[in-house]
Amino acid sequence: MPFDPHSLVYDAKGLIPAIAQDHATGEVLMLAWMNAEAVARTLASGRVTYWSRSRAAFWEKGATSGHRQRLVEMRLDCDRDCLLLLVEQLGPACHTGRRSCFFTAIRDGAEAEISTPEG
Amino acid sequence: MPFDPHSLVYDAKGLIPAIAQDHATGEVLMLAWMNAEAVARTLASGRVTYWSRSRAAFWEKGATSGHRQRLVEMRLDCDRDCLLLLVEQLGPACHTGRRSCFFTAIRDGAEAEISTPEG
């Protein structure tokens, strides 16, 4: 059946979490949020577009930084309340310059930085 | 520095999203939610424990189904408002019997089931 972005389950603010994963390496890059219009724009354009909660505006990933995400495939979970985006990531996904936002690990009860900003 | 679960950024309901990823294959298995106590229990026991929003109770993954998740490593993102759990998953992660909850893809504008329940 045709996919309708409004058939997803959004929270009280009309948002759904979206996990971005590198389609080639499997690395989890980041998690951000989408509303129904962001889902529709992402599917229509192939350019991953989130909803920025802090700026209350659409956020086409990389539109200013150049660190774009090209959508390879969108998937949804069994409850229809979370998205998994397989993406082709240009440059770092994280605003700190690291490939992934998940660069802090808990090891032996302490925080450990496991990656550094890309050159 | 020692890691304090209360140093994470929780939403208005005291919850943080946690992505579970198979540590060996990189497959993203599911997303669920934790509160600070669930984070602490998971780190202390090595058994991934979520907060069930529907049951409003702690949910030690697999305690009844046997489909447990053993924590290999917990990571947090740059905003401290999302967790990535590298896990060893026993059996399927999804309540439908599939390995991953993300078994529906959007292809050519329609929903496509891309995996089946495990035998």
Side-chain angles (χ1 to χ4, degrees), chain A residues 3 73 80 107 109 111, chain B residues 3 73-74 80 107 109 111:
Chain A
F3 172 69
E73 184 163 275
R80 305 180 75 83
R107 293 180 177 173
E111 298 187 20
Chain B
F3 172 67
E73 184 163 278
M74 183 182 289
R80 305 181 75 85
R107 292 179 178 174
E111 298 186 18

Side-chain angles (χ1 to χ4, degrees), chain A residues 61-68 92:
Chain A
K61 175 72 178 162
T64 51
S65 67
H67 302 149
R68 294 180 175 279

Side-chain angles (χ1 to χ4, degrees), chain A residues 1-3 21 26 31 53 73-78 80-81 84 101-102 104-107 109-111 114, chain B residues 1-3 21 26 31 53 73-78 80-81 84 101-102 104-107 109-111 114:
Chain A
M1 60 180 167
F3 172 69
Q21 182 181 33
L31 179 139
R53 296 177 300 170
E73 184 163 275
M74 183 181 289
R75 297 180 186 167
L76 49 110
D77 79 347
C78 50
R80 305 180 75 83
D81 63 1
L84 176 63
C101 293
F102 297 94
T104 305
I106 312 301
R107 293 180 177 173
E111 298 187 20
I114 59 173
Chain B
M1 61 180 167
F3 172 67
Q21 180 181 34
L31 179 141
R53 297 177 299 171
E73 184 163 278
M74 183 182 289
R75 296 180 187 167
L76 48 110
D77 77 349
C78 51
R80 305 181 75 85
D81 64 358
L84 176 64
C101 293
F102 296 95
T104 305
I106 312 302
R107 292 179 178 174
E111 298 186 18
I114 59 174

Side-chain angles (χ1 to χ4, degrees), chain B residues 3-108:
Chain B
F3 172 67
D4 177 1
H6 292 95
S7 70
L8 296 171
V9 176
Y10 299 90
D11 69 11
K13 295 175 180 171
L15 301 176
I16 188 170
I19 304 161
Q21 180 181 34
D22 187 303
H23 80 105
T25 66
E27 185 175 17
V28 174
L29 302 171
M30 57 183 284
L31 179 141
W33 297 78
M34 290 186 170
N35 56 20
E37 175 64 21
V39 172
R41 289 188 187 195
T42 297
L43 287 169
S45 69
R47 298 188 297 271
V48 176
T49 304
Y50 300 103
W51 178 258
S52 169
R53 297 177 299 171
S54 57
R55 292 186 287 109
F58 289 104
W59 166 31
E60 186 184 317
K61 175 72 177 162
T64 53
S65 68
H67 302 149
R68 295 181 174 280
Q69 287 180 346
R70 185 179 71 79
L71 183 70
V72 175
E73 184 163 278
M74 183 182 289
R75 296 180 187 167
L76 48 110
D77 77 349
C78 51
D79 294 329
R80 305 181 75 85
D81 64 358
C82 183
L83 296 172
L84 176 64
L85 313 172
L86 304 185
V87 304
E88 182 182 52
Q89 172 70 48
L90 295 180
C94 184
H95 74 286
T96 66
R98 293 171 178 85
R99 182 73 181 166
S100 164
C101 293
F102 296 95
F103 57 83
T104 305
I106 312 302
R107 292 179 178 174
D108 300 324

Side-chain angles (χ1 to χ4, degrees), chain A residues 25-82:
Chain A
T25 67
E27 186 175 18
V28 173
L29 301 171
M30 57 182 284
L31 179 139
W33 298 78
M34 290 186 169
N35 57 17
E37 176 63 18
V39 172
R41 289 188 186 194
T42 297
L43 287 170
S45 68
R47 298 188 297 272
V48 175
T49 303
Y50 300 103
W51 177 258
S52 168
R53 296 177 300 170
S54 57
R55 291 186 289 109
F58 289 104
W59 166 29
E60 186 186 314
K61 175 72 178 162
T64 51
S65 67
H67 302 149
R68 294 180 175 279
Q69 288 180 343
R70 185 180 71 80
L71 183 69
V72 175
E73 184 163 275
M74 183 181 289
R75 297 180 186 167
L76 49 110
D77 79 347
C78 50
D79 294 328
R80 305 180 75 83
D81 63 1
C82 182

